[in-house]
């Protein structure tokens, strides 16, 4: 079995995707339950995401959800993939993570992104526009200053209880964001595994421009993407169907919907545009039997030089999702 798989960390991010026919609150409980499974299976970390005003996602408050996950687990690292910094004041983010790191010492990760709201209406409701994303480096620097106790913009103000705590910080990025992570000397989380050429270019920029910092002496790359493991290639591909349709629907209707059952989606009549986007959404993901996934993972890790793979798979069938993670854990276990 591959030595690169054996030497790579594997982690899980759950987006708290809502499902047709299920209460929205259930998606949050599903996330907590999945974190327990991930811990039992030996995954390195479990992260949650931030989305606002999106019917298909229940996770709108990642630090609150991270607290619930950390309280329900005992050893796995817990964090955010990520807190979208343009939506928040850096002081408040520092304080929130200070509370988390104080309650769960040595287990909390701060993953930060630069995205803003999904639609113009959401952005207006949040009080932030697309231009706020352009100030991501400045907001990131301010946030790091609050944690380090070095910020000078607000003399005499301190971020309690965060100041001085060793909270690991990660930058979620694609394209330009890689340069931000490099300049700050922080680990990079980048995806997805499908757009390999674009990802490889960004990783090259990150490694080339990386400046060692007190938080990271060398570049660290976490590659995020969908990984689906099942008994057959067809069954694994079926796991991809609900998310592929949700993405196709969002791009043709402007609204990101709850996940629907794969069997129902395959019976739907689609417009030519919907069909094109749906089929494209199914392509390029790492999926198949255990043997097929091991081969694909080995290739992805070798090409990217990833230190870690962050699995971001979403599907309607939560039981099948857990089985997929068990299959992946088995691949890693056999490699080691």
């Amino acid at each position: 079995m591959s030595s690169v798989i054996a030497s790579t960390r594997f982690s899980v991010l759950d987006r708290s995707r809502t499902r047709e026919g299920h209460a929205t609150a259930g998606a949050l409980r599903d996330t907590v339950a999945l974190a327990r499974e991930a811990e039992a299976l030996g995954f390195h970390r479990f992260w949650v995401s931030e989305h606002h005003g999106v019917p298909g996602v229940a996770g709108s408050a990642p630090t609150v959800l991270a607290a619930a996950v950390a309280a329900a687990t005992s050893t796995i690292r817990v964090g955010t993939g990520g807190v979208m910094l343009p939506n928040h004041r850096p002081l408040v983010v520092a304080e929130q993570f200070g509370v988390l790191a104080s309650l769960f010492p040595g287990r909390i990760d701060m993953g930060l992104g630069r995205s803003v709201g999904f639609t113009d209406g959401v952005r207006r409701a949040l009080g932030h526009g697309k231009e706020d994303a352009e100030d991501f480096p400045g907001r990131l620097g301010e946030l790091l200053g609050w944690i380090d106790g070095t910020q000078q913009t607000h003399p005499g103000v301190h971020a309690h209880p965060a100041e001085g705590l060793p909270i690991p910080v990660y930058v979620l990025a694609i394209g330009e964001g890689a340069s931000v992570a490099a300049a700050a000397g922080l680990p990079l989380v980048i995806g997805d595994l499908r757009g390999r050429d674009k990802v490889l270019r960004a990783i090259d920029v990150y490694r080339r421009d990386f400046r060692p910092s007190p938080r990271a002496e060398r570049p660290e790359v976490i590659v995020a993407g969908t990984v689906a493991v099942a008994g057959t290639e067809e069954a694994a591909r079926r796991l991809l169907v609900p998310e592929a349709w949700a993405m196709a629907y969002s791009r043709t209707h402007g609204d990101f919907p709850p996940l629907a059952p794969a069997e129902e989606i395959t019976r739907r009549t689609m417009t030519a545009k919907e069909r094109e986007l749906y089929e494209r959404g199914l392509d390029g993901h790492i999926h198949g039997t255990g043997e097929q996934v091991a081969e694909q993972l080995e290739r992805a890790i070798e090409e990217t030089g990833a230190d870690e793979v962050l699995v971001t798979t979403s599907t309607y069938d939560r039981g099948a999702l857990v089985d997929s993670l068990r299959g992946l854990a088995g691949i890693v276990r056999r490699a080691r």
Side-chain angles (χ1 to χ4, degrees):
M1 189 63 74
S2 169
S3 60
V4 296
I5 292 177
S7 60
T8 302
R9 299 186 301 268
F10 285 83
S11 300
V12 177
L13 180 146
D14 191 60
R15 295 191 178 91
S16 304
R17 294 287 276 109
T18 59
R19 297 182 290 164
E20 289 185 2
H22 294 261
T24 299
L28 300 173
R29 289 189 286 269
D30 287 342
T31 292
V32 175
L34 191 66
R36 293 195 190 100
E37 291 281 358
E39 179 175 73
L41 290 169
F43 286 94
H44 181 64
R45 68 180 98 239
F46 188 94
W47 281 4
V48 297
S49 64
E50 175 182 339
H51 297 272
H52 298 281
V54 180
V57 185
S60 56
T63 53
V64 176
L65 186 52
V69 168
T73 55
S74 58
T75 58
I76 196 168
R77 297 197 64 85
V78 177
T80 55
V83 165
M84 296 302 147
L85 200 49
N87 295 335
H88 310 280
R89 296 299 304 173
L91 170 60
V92 175
V93 175
E95 290 172 335
Q96 290 174 343
F97 277 91
V99 171
L100 284 170
S102 298
L103 291 172
F104 308 101
R107 294 181 58 207
I108 299 300
D109 300 325
M110 180 190 291
L112 304 167
R114 66 190 295 270
S115 296
V116 291
F118 184 62
T119 65
D120 288 338
V122 170
R123 288 189 288 272
R124 286 193 296 271
L126 290 169
H128 300 284
K130 292 182 178 180
E131 66 279 0
D132 291 293
E134 302 306 315
D135 190 35
F136 181 60
R139 288 172 179 260
L140 175 62
E142 181 184 341
L143 175 56
L144 297 179
W146 287 116
I147 297 172
D148 295 340
T150 58
Q151 73 82 27
Q152 300 297 322
T153 305
H154 305 279
V157 183
H158 299 271
H160 300 302
E163 188 173 301
L165 292 180
I167 305 172
V169 182
Y170 301 79
V171 173
L172 281 66
I174 191 71
E176 295 178 4
S179 296
V180 176
L186 294 173
L188 173 70
V189 184
I190 190 164
D192 62 24
L193 287 166
R194 293 192 303 160
R196 196 72 54 85
D197 290 343
K198 185 176 182 179
V199 166
L200 291 177
R201 287 194 298 272
I203 291 174
D204 286 343
V205 168
Y206 169 69
R207 290 198 173 107
R208 182 195 68 200
D209 297 341
F210 182 83
R211 300 176 184 174
S213 73
R215 287 185 167 82
E217 296 181 355
R218 65 171 187 84
E220 179 181 346
V221 176
I222 301 175
V223 178
T226 295
V227 179
V229 186
T232 65
E233 185 176 358
E234 180 183 358
R237 185 176 174 83
R238 192 158 54 244
L239 288 174
L240 309 176
V241 166
E243 187 75 9
W245 168 247
M247 292 298 296
Y249 187 92
S250 71
R251 291 173 181 173
T252 51
H253 295 78
D255 190 18
F256 199 72
L259 297 175
E263 296 76 13
E264 178 185 323
I265 292 168
T266 55
R267 293 194 298 264
R268 287 180 178 173
T269 300
M270 302 182 192
T271 65
K273 185 62 174 178
E274 287 172 343
R275 175 66 64 180
E276 176 191 352
L277 292 170
Y278 167 68
E279 295 290 348
R280 191 186 305 168
L282 290 171
D283 290 339
H285 298 291
I286 291 178
H287 73 286
T289 64
E291 183 177 342
Q292 290 171 322
V293 167
E295 292 175 357
Q296 295 169 48
L297 278 173
E298 180 176 359
R299 184 165 57 253
I301 294 167
E302 288 178 342
E303 290 180 355
T304 61
D307 299 283
E308 184 172 336
V309 174
L310 182 66
V311 178
T312 62
T313 312
S314 296
T315 193
Y316 180 89
D317 187 338
R318 298 292 290 194
L321 177 60
V322 170
D323 287 343
S324 177
L325 290 181
R326 287 174 181 158
L328 176 57
I331 293 170
V332 177
R333 188 167 54 251
R334 288 190 293 273
R336 293 172 178 168

